[in-house]
Amino acid sequence: MAYYDELATFITRPHVEAMARLGVPGALMSWSYAGPIVAMMKLAFIIALFVSSPWIGYQLWAFVGAGLYRKERKHVVLFAPASFILFTAGCVFGYLKLVPICLYAMAKTMDVGDRIITQQYLFSEYLSLVMMLTIILGGVFQIPLVMVFLSKVGIVKPGTWNKWRRPAILVNVVFAAVITPADVVTMLVVMVPMLVLYEIGVVVSYLVSRREKAGT
C-alpha cells in the first residue's frame, strides 16, 4: 500500500493509452469518498496475491500430488515452477495485449461522434476488469502444462488429446465469448492463444511420452 501511487499509475496505463487514441480524457472517476480507499486496498491485495502466487501455486500442485503415487509426486516439483512461469507469462500477455485491445474496442463502440454519451469510467470497475482478464489469461496459459501433466501420470493418453481437438475448439470459443466483453476482437485475442496453447500441449505430450518410451 505504500507504493499505491506507482501501482495505480502502472495499472491504469492501458486505459490512459486507449483514451488517448480516442482523444478522450483518461482520468478515472471515484463513485464515493470511500471509493479510492477501497480501490487502494483492493489493488494492494491483488498485487500481494500475485507476488505470493509461487507459494500458492506450489500448494495447489502439492494438493494434486497428495492423490498421486510416490513415483508420480516427483513431477510436482518440476511442474510447480513451470506453472508459475506460465502464469506470469499469461498475466503479462493479458496486460500488454488483451487489456489495451479490449479497452480500446469497448470504448470505440461507445465513441459517439456528437458526444451524446460521455465516456467516464469508475476506477473500481476498471480495476476489476483488468484483474479479471489478466488473472484469467494467467490461468489459461496453464493449459499445456496441465495436458502434459495428465499424460505424464497416465491419466490421459497423448492420442486422446487429438481425439478431443474438435470439442476443445468448441469449448475454447465458448469460454472466450463468456469471459470477454461483447466484442469480437477481444474474443479472438483470447481464443487464438487458447487454441495455440492446446496444440502446444498436444505436441509436448507426444514428445514426453515418446521420450519416456525410449528411456524404458
Side-chain angles (χ1 to χ4, degrees), residues 143-162:
I143 291 176
L145 187 65
V146 173
M147 293 171 63
V148 174
F149 181 79
L150 294 177
S151 297
K152 195 172 182 63
V153 299
I155 297 178
V156 180
K157 296 181 179 180
T160 306
W161 298 121
N162 273 329

PDB file of all heavy atoms in Angstrom, residues 143-162:
ATOM      1  N   ILE A 143      -2.825 -24.353 -19.668  1.00  0.00           N
ATOM      2  CA  ILE A 143      -3.414 -25.449 -20.448  1.00  0.00           C
ATOM      3  C   ILE A 143      -2.378 -26.481 -20.878  1.00  0.00           C
ATOM      4  O   ILE A 143      -2.555 -27.682 -20.619  1.00  0.00           O
ATOM      5  CB  ILE A 143      -4.179 -24.883 -21.662  1.00  0.00           C
ATOM      6  CG1 ILE A 143      -5.431 -24.149 -21.197  1.00  0.00           C
ATOM      7  CG2 ILE A 143      -4.556 -26.011 -22.638  1.00  0.00           C
ATOM      8  CD1 ILE A 143      -6.201 -23.476 -22.324  1.00  0.00           C
ATOM      9  N   PRO A 144      -1.286 -26.093 -21.560  1.00  0.00           N
ATOM     10  CA  PRO A 144      -0.339 -27.132 -21.987  1.00  0.00           C
ATOM     11  C   PRO A 144       0.312 -27.863 -20.829  1.00  0.00           C
ATOM     12  O   PRO A 144       0.586 -29.063 -20.914  1.00  0.00           O
ATOM     13  CB  PRO A 144       0.700 -26.350 -22.809  1.00  0.00           C
ATOM     14  CG  PRO A 144       0.579 -24.943 -22.357  1.00  0.00           C
ATOM     15  CD  PRO A 144      -0.859 -24.754 -22.000  1.00  0.00           C
ATOM     16  N   LEU A 145       0.549 -27.163 -19.724  1.00  0.00           N
ATOM     17  CA  LEU A 145       1.174 -27.802 -18.572  1.00  0.00           C
ATOM     18  C   LEU A 145       0.249 -28.854 -17.967  1.00  0.00           C
ATOM     19  O   LEU A 145       0.696 -29.952 -17.614  1.00  0.00           O
ATOM     20  CB  LEU A 145       1.534 -26.750 -17.526  1.00  0.00           C
ATOM     21  CG  LEU A 145       2.346 -27.245 -16.325  1.00  0.00           C
ATOM     22  CD1 LEU A 145       3.716 -27.716 -16.777  1.00  0.00           C
ATOM     23  CD2 LEU A 145       2.481 -26.136 -15.287  1.00  0.00           C
ATOM     24  N   VAL A 146      -1.020 -28.531 -17.855  1.00  0.00           N
ATOM     25  CA  VAL A 146      -1.985 -29.494 -17.320  1.00  0.00           C
ATOM     26  C   VAL A 146      -2.104 -30.698 -18.246  1.00  0.00           C
ATOM     27  O   VAL A 146      -2.174 -31.851 -17.793  1.00  0.00           O
ATOM     28  CB  VAL A 146      -3.356 -28.817 -17.129  1.00  0.00           C
ATOM     29  CG1 VAL A 146      -4.417 -29.845 -16.738  1.00  0.00           C
ATOM     30  CG2 VAL A 146      -3.274 -27.725 -16.070  1.00  0.00           C
ATOM     31  N   MET A 147      -2.114 -30.457 -19.548  1.00  0.00           N
ATOM     32  CA  MET A 147      -2.205 -31.552 -20.513  1.00  0.00           C
ATOM     33  C   MET A 147      -1.001 -32.487 -20.403  1.00  0.00           C
ATOM     34  O   MET A 147      -1.145 -33.715 -20.387  1.00  0.00           O
ATOM     35  CB  MET A 147      -2.321 -30.985 -21.927  1.00  0.00           C
ATOM     36  CG  MET A 147      -3.622 -30.236 -22.181  1.00  0.00           C
ATOM     37  SD  MET A 147      -3.622 -29.358 -23.769  1.00  0.00           S
ATOM     38  CE  MET A 147      -3.491 -30.732 -24.911  1.00  0.00           C
ATOM     39  N   VAL A 148       0.179 -31.905 -20.325  1.00  0.00           N
ATOM     40  CA  VAL A 148       1.396 -32.721 -20.210  1.00  0.00           C
ATOM     41  C   VAL A 148       1.399 -33.483 -18.896  1.00  0.00           C
ATOM     42  O   VAL A 148       1.782 -34.663 -18.843  1.00  0.00           O
ATOM     43  CB  VAL A 148       2.651 -31.828 -20.334  1.00  0.00           C
ATOM     44  CG1 VAL A 148       3.914 -32.633 -20.060  1.00  0.00           C
ATOM     45  CG2 VAL A 148       2.716 -31.200 -21.717  1.00  0.00           C
ATOM     46  N   PHE A 149       0.970 -32.827 -17.830  1.00  0.00           N
ATOM     47  CA  PHE A 149       0.945 -33.479 -16.524  1.00  0.00           C
ATOM     48  C   PHE A 149       0.004 -34.684 -16.529  1.00  0.00           C
ATOM     49  O   PHE A 149       0.352 -35.760 -16.032  1.00  0.00           O
ATOM     50  CB  PHE A 149       0.513 -32.476 -15.457  1.00  0.00           C
ATOM     51  CG  PHE A 149       0.472 -33.044 -14.069  1.00  0.00           C
ATOM     52  CD1 PHE A 149       1.633 -33.205 -13.338  1.00  0.00           C
ATOM     53  CD2 PHE A 149      -0.736 -33.425 -13.494  1.00  0.00           C
ATOM     54  CE1 PHE A 149       1.607 -33.729 -12.056  1.00  0.00           C
ATOM     55  CE2 PHE A 149      -0.785 -33.948 -12.214  1.00  0.00           C
ATOM     56  CZ  PHE A 149       0.395 -34.102 -11.496  1.00  0.00           C
ATOM     57  N   LEU A 150      -1.196 -34.522 -17.089  1.00  0.00           N
ATOM     58  CA  LEU A 150      -2.156 -35.620 -17.141  1.00  0.00           C
ATOM     59  C   LEU A 150      -1.648 -36.775 -17.998  1.00  0.00           C
ATOM     60  O   LEU A 150      -1.887 -37.947 -17.685  1.00  0.00           O
ATOM     61  CB  LEU A 150      -3.500 -35.115 -17.678  1.00  0.00           C
ATOM     62  CG  LEU A 150      -4.246 -34.112 -16.790  1.00  0.00           C
ATOM     63  CD1 LEU A 150      -5.517 -33.647 -17.484  1.00  0.00           C
ATOM     64  CD2 LEU A 150      -4.578 -34.726 -15.439  1.00  0.00           C
ATOM     65  N   SER A 151      -0.927 -36.441 -19.066  1.00  0.00           N
ATOM     66  CA  SER A 151      -0.359 -37.500 -19.905  1.00  0.00           C
ATOM     67  C   SER A 151       0.815 -38.183 -19.224  1.00  0.00           C
ATOM     68  O   SER A 151       0.998 -39.393 -19.353  1.00  0.00           O
ATOM     69  CB  SER A 151       0.082 -36.917 -21.250  1.00  0.00           C
ATOM     70  OG  SER A 151      -1.014 -36.404 -21.979  1.00  0.00           O
ATOM     71  N   LYS A 152       1.590 -37.411 -18.493  1.00  0.00           N
ATOM     72  CA  LYS A 152       2.786 -37.954 -17.861  1.00  0.00           C
ATOM     73  C   LYS A 152       2.451 -38.931 -16.746  1.00  0.00           C
ATOM     74  O   LYS A 152       3.146 -39.943 -16.553  1.00  0.00           O
ATOM     75  CB  LYS A 152       3.653 -36.815 -17.320  1.00  0.00           C
ATOM     76  CG  LYS A 152       5.084 -37.242 -16.962  1.00  0.00           C
ATOM     77  CD  LYS A 152       5.924 -36.047 -16.629  1.00  0.00           C
ATOM     78  CE  LYS A 152       7.356 -36.455 -16.314  1.00  0.00           C
ATOM     79  NZ  LYS A 152       8.027 -37.088 -17.466  1.00  0.00           N
ATOM     80  N   VAL A 153       1.374 -38.657 -16.018  1.00  0.00           N
ATOM     81  CA  VAL A 153       0.978 -39.548 -14.934  1.00  0.00           C
ATOM     82  C   VAL A 153       0.047 -40.653 -15.414  1.00  0.00           C
ATOM     83  O   VAL A 153      -0.399 -41.485 -14.611  1.00  0.00           O
ATOM     84  CB  VAL A 153       0.299 -38.757 -13.789  1.00  0.00           C
ATOM     85  CG1 VAL A 153       1.254 -37.741 -13.200  1.00  0.00           C
ATOM     86  CG2 VAL A 153      -0.983 -38.099 -14.265  1.00  0.00           C
ATOM     87  N   GLY A 154      -0.265 -40.661 -16.717  1.00  0.00           N
ATOM     88  CA  GLY A 154      -1.046 -41.747 -17.294  1.00  0.00           C
ATOM     89  C   GLY A 154      -2.546 -41.606 -17.197  1.00  0.00           C
ATOM     90  O   GLY A 154      -3.280 -42.568 -17.484  1.00  0.00           O
ATOM     91  N   ILE A 155      -3.031 -40.443 -16.811  1.00  0.00           N
ATOM     92  CA  ILE A 155      -4.482 -40.253 -16.710  1.00  0.00           C
ATOM     93  C   ILE A 155      -5.111 -40.098 -18.089  1.00  0.00           C
ATOM     94  O   ILE A 155      -6.185 -40.637 -18.373  1.00  0.00           O
ATOM     95  CB  ILE A 155      -4.799 -39.033 -15.819  1.00  0.00           C
ATOM     96  CG1 ILE A 155      -4.293 -39.279 -14.390  1.00  0.00           C
ATOM     97  CG2 ILE A 155      -6.294 -38.744 -15.800  1.00  0.00           C
ATOM     98  CD1 ILE A 155      -4.515 -38.121 -13.453  1.00  0.00           C
ATOM     99  N   VAL A 156      -4.448 -39.348 -18.963  1.00  0.00           N
ATOM    100  CA  VAL A 156      -4.928 -39.139 -20.332  1.00  0.00           C
ATOM    101  C   VAL A 156      -3.797 -39.478 -21.290  1.00  0.00           C
ATOM    102  O   VAL A 156      -2.692 -38.947 -21.160  1.00  0.00           O
ATOM    103  CB  VAL A 156      -5.379 -37.674 -20.559  1.00  0.00           C
ATOM    104  CG1 VAL A 156      -5.872 -37.494 -21.996  1.00  0.00           C
ATOM    105  CG2 VAL A 156      -6.474 -37.289 -19.572  1.00  0.00           C
ATOM    106  N   LYS A 157      -4.054 -40.345 -22.241  1.00  0.00           N
ATOM    107  CA  LYS A 157      -3.048 -40.701 -23.224  1.00  0.00           C
ATOM    108  C   LYS A 157      -2.862 -39.563 -24.228  1.00  0.00           C
ATOM    109  O   LYS A 157      -3.821 -38.852 -24.541  1.00  0.00           O
ATOM    110  CB  LYS A 157      -3.441 -41.986 -23.953  1.00  0.00           C
ATOM    111  CG  LYS A 157      -3.496 -43.210 -23.040  1.00  0.00           C
ATOM    112  CD  LYS A 157      -3.857 -44.450 -23.839  1.00  0.00           C
ATOM    113  CE  LYS A 157      -3.895 -45.676 -22.930  1.00  0.00           C
ATOM    114  NZ  LYS A 157      -4.252 -46.904 -23.676  1.00  0.00           N
ATOM    115  N   PRO A 158      -1.634 -39.381 -24.752  1.00  0.00           N
ATOM    116  CA  PRO A 158      -1.399 -38.298 -25.708  1.00  0.00           C
ATOM    117  C   PRO A 158      -2.329 -38.349 -26.917  1.00  0.00           C
ATOM    118  O   PRO A 158      -2.763 -37.315 -27.427  1.00  0.00           O
ATOM    119  CB  PRO A 158       0.063 -38.513 -26.112  1.00  0.00           C
ATOM    120  CG  PRO A 158       0.678 -39.194 -24.948  1.00  0.00           C
ATOM    121  CD  PRO A 158      -0.392 -40.081 -24.389  1.00  0.00           C
ATOM    122  N   GLY A 159      -2.631 -39.573 -27.406  1.00  0.00           N
ATOM    123  CA  GLY A 159      -3.519 -39.693 -28.557  1.00  0.00           C
ATOM    124  C   GLY A 159      -4.930 -39.215 -28.277  1.00  0.00           C
ATOM    125  O   GLY A 159      -5.656 -38.825 -29.203  1.00  0.00           O
ATOM    126  N   THR A 160      -5.324 -39.219 -27.000  1.00  0.00           N
ATOM    127  CA  THR A 160      -6.677 -38.767 -26.639  1.00  0.00           C
ATOM    128  C   THR A 160      -6.851 -37.284 -26.872  1.00  0.00           C
ATOM    129  O   THR A 160      -7.945 -36.834 -27.234  1.00  0.00           O
ATOM    130  CB  THR A 160      -6.966 -39.094 -25.164  1.00  0.00           C
ATOM    131  OG1 THR A 160      -6.744 -40.489 -24.941  1.00  0.00           O
ATOM    132  CG2 THR A 160      -8.397 -38.747 -24.798  1.00  0.00           C
ATOM    133  N   TRP A 161      -5.763 -36.521 -26.694  1.00  0.00           N
ATOM    134  CA  TRP A 161      -5.859 -35.081 -26.933  1.00  0.00           C
ATOM    135  C   TRP A 161      -6.207 -34.790 -28.394  1.00  0.00           C
ATOM    136  O   TRP A 161      -6.927 -33.834 -28.683  1.00  0.00           O
ATOM    137  CB  TRP A 161      -4.550 -34.385 -26.564  1.00  0.00           C
ATOM    138  CG  TRP A 161      -4.161 -34.503 -25.129  1.00  0.00           C
ATOM    139  CD1 TRP A 161      -3.013 -35.050 -24.626  1.00  0.00           C
ATOM    140  CD2 TRP A 161      -4.907 -34.059 -23.988  1.00  0.00           C
ATOM    141  NE1 TRP A 161      -2.995 -34.986 -23.260  1.00  0.00           N
ATOM    142  CE2 TRP A 161      -4.147 -34.380 -22.833  1.00  0.00           C
ATOM    143  CE3 TRP A 161      -6.147 -33.439 -23.825  1.00  0.00           C
ATOM    144  CZ2 TRP A 161      -4.579 -34.098 -21.545  1.00  0.00           C
ATOM    145  CZ3 TRP A 161      -6.585 -33.156 -22.529  1.00  0.00           C
ATOM    146  CH2 TRP A 161      -5.812 -33.477 -21.416  1.00  0.00           C
ATOM    147  N   ASN A 162      -5.697 -35.607 -29.327  1.00  0.00           N
ATOM    148  CA  ASN A 162      -6.061 -35.439 -30.733  1.00  0.00           C
ATOM    149  C   ASN A 162      -7.539 -35.699 -30.961  1.00  0.00           C
ATOM    150  O   ASN A 162      -8.200 -35.005 -31.735  1.00  0.00           O
ATOM    151  CB  ASN A 162      -5.223 -36.377 -31.606  1.00  0.00           C
ATOM    152  CG  ASN A 162      -3.895 -35.758 -32.010  1.00  0.00           C
ATOM    153  OD1 ASN A 162      -3.789 -34.549 -32.170  1.00  0.00           O
ATOM    154  ND2 ASN A 162      -2.879 -36.584 -32.167  1.00  0.00           N
TER     155      ASN A 162
END
